[in-house]
Amino acid sequence: MKEVNTDKLLVKYQFEEWLYNEAKLLDEIDFDSWYELLHPSIAYQMPVRVNKEGIERPDYTTDMFAFEDDYETLKMRVDRLKSNYAWAEIPPSRTRRFVSNVRVIGYEEKKHASVQSYLLIYRNRLNDVHHDLISGERSDEFLYDNGRWKLAKRTFIVDQTTIDTRNLAIFV
């Protein structure tokens, strides 16, 4: 049996907790606290998924995005969601984010980390019996900044080629 590396387990646990905390902040509509988790250099994107023949990969575009945000545009989205001008989110959606399959791909202590995870979002609005399920894989890059890990890049590869949701006014 292979010996357990406790240092690797602690690093994995640290990023699992980071991702779980992020999910809780978003589900509780605490966008300001969520925004504080972001590094000023952040690139936040969701490439468009495409159908390809056979097993050809990648099966998403690298030049077209459902959203492609930076620190300033994410701040505008957060501020808009807190205003009376976010009509698609009045009242706010009820969401539940399920984070799983967290894998630390690369790690430099107190410098940089690469983390992959799966995300499933359940979303419901008003009294509607319809609900959204959005699933995919996230590739995250973290930078250590002022004693905290900050999200510096997120690429969300959605599983669906056609997303059955009325809008993408939520964060992944």
Side-chain angles (χ1 to χ4, degrees), residues 50-162:
V50 294
N51 291 321
K52 292 192 173 185
E53 295 294 322
I55 58 172
E56 184 183 351
R57 295 290 184 262
D59 60 347
Y60 55 88
T61 65
T62 56
D63 57 357
M64 189 166 54
F65 302 90
F67 55 77
E68 184 177 26
D69 294 319
D70 60 18
Y71 198 65
E72 287 77 28
T73 57
L74 286 169
K75 180 64 173 154
M76 288 188 323
R77 285 179 64 187
V78 164
D79 289 344
R80 188 174 151 275
L81 286 170
K82 296 183 326 183
S83 76
N84 290 328
Y85 297 103
W87 299 294
E89 283 297 302
I90 298 175
S93 295
R94 290 180 294 276
T95 61
R96 186 75 57 217
R97 288 164 177 79
F98 299 89
V99 178
S100 68
N101 296 58
V102 177
R103 297 167 314 283
V104 178
I105 306 303
Y107 178 75
E108 281 184 77
E109 187 173 347
K110 294 189 177 182
K111 288 187 181 175
H112 175 267
S114 299
V115 179
Q116 292 181 337
S117 62
Y118 293 169
L119 177 68
L120 176 65
I121 303 172
Y122 170 88
R123 177 183 181 197
N124 183 265
R125 298 213 4 101
L126 301 168
N127 294 329
D128 197 348
V129 294
H130 177 269
H131 64 272
D132 299 334
L133 286 177
I134 302 169
S135 67
E137 181 174 12
R138 299 186 297 191
S139 294
D140 294 337
E141 300 290 327
F142 292 89
L143 293 175
Y144 199 76
D145 186 36
N146 289 326
R148 295 175 62 192
W149 286 104
K150 300 271 189 155
L151 182 63
K153 183 175 184 182
R154 170 164 290 159
T155 303
F156 181 66
I157 307 298
V158 67
D159 289 328
Q160 303 95 317
T161 53
T162 303

Side-chain angles (χ1 to χ4, degrees), residues 18-32:
W18 194 101
L19 294 169
Y20 298 156
N21 179 59
E22 177 196 28
K24 183 173 178 52
L25 291 173
L26 290 171
D27 289 343
E28 292 179 350
I29 315 172
D30 188 353
F31 298 130
D32 290 327

